[in-house]
Amino acid sequence: MASVTMYTTTWCGYCRRLKSQLDREGIAYTEIDIERDPEAAAVVERVNNGNQTVPTLVVVPDSGSGEVTMTNPSVAEVKKALAA
């Protein structure tokens, strides 16, 4: 089963925009606030060269072809990753 995990902060405008777009497209996701979860912050830093850049998404498509990590993607990029 496909899954989307979105690492965010409460103040991130790009995060709010992407959440709104995913909601509109009916794409379910799990949201994790990196300011409240140090382990999540470490995940984001690891995939963003030491930076806490959000939104960072980890997508696991239905095909089970492996997870895809994306930083500040468009909703079209998320849909493409889910379809892979």
Side-chain angles (χ1 to χ4, degrees), residues 16-48:
R16 285 192 298 275
R17 182 186 70 205
L18 184 57
K19 288 188 292 187
S20 161
Q21 292 169 340
L22 294 175
D23 290 343
R24 187 172 52 249
E25 294 292 324
I27 299 171
Y29 56 90
T30 300
E31 181 179 2
I32 301 174
D33 184 339
I34 67 168
E35 292 183 321
R36 293 179 180 219
D37 185 337
E39 290 178 23
V43 169
V44 170
E45 288 174 359
R46 189 171 50 254
V47 300
N48 290 296

